[in-house]
Every structure is written in C-alpha cells, then in structure tokens.
Amino acid sequence: MKRSDVIRTLQVQYKNMRAEDAMAMLDTVTQEIINTIKDGNRIEIRGFGTFQPRRRATKNGYNPSTGKMIHLDAGKTILFKPSRELTKKMNG
C-alpha cells in the first residue's frame, strides 16, 4: 500500500475530507512517530503494535561475495512488535 492509497482510503472513510486534509493528517501522525522514536522513546499504538528504537553494537562481518572480513559500525534501528490483536487478525 502506498501513501496515496492511504490518503484515498481516508477520503472514502470520511466523505467530506479533502485530499489536502488527509495528507496533513497522515503527515502529522508519521512525523510524530518519527520524532518520538528519534528522541529515544517507545511508541505504542493499541491494537496495532509498538515501535521501539534499538542500538546495534559494532561487530565484524564479512562480504558474502568476497568472503573478506569487514568492520560494521554501531548504529540505530527500529524494532516493530505487532500486537496480539493484529497477529490474530492476520492469521484468522
């Protein structure tokens, strides 16, 4: 699903909503999620799941095509854990 599909879905769900309003709403929600994770905080959306920032430690890896060892720097990533309710809906 693309961003435009989400906006179109919002317009179908809420008949009087303009495309600009739907875009602004989607942008606000995504930006708030980004800012919260960027600050190092966890986000929980009931019935959907949680987003949590994680740190990756430095480690040694290898290049699969050459087999040569390489150094992988520390970094940040995001862990998403779906809720039980979402998992049940997907499987049922």
Side-chain angles (χ1 to χ4, degrees), residues 29-47:
V29 170
T30 54
Q31 193 58 50
E32 206 50 43
I33 290 171
I34 291 167
N35 290 341
T36 302
I37 292 172
K38 207 175 192 182
D39 291 342
N41 297 318
R42 175 179 177 265
I43 270 203
E44 179 181 343
I45 301 172
R46 298 280 170 138

Side-chain angles (χ1 to χ4, degrees), residues 35-78:
N35 290 341
T36 302
I37 292 172
K38 207 175 192 182
D39 291 342
N41 297 318
R42 175 179 177 265
I43 270 203
E44 179 181 343
I45 301 172
R46 298 280 170 138
F48 184 70
T50 58
F51 296 91
Q52 194 169 347
R54 288 285 170 108
R55 289 195 173 278
R56 283 193 318 258
T58 60
K59 62 182 179 180
N60 291 322
Y62 71 97
N63 182 332
S65 61
T66 64
K68 185 178 177 182
M69 294 295 286
I70 56 174
H71 176 75
L72 300 171
D73 293 330
K76 295 178 185 176
T77 189
I78 299 170

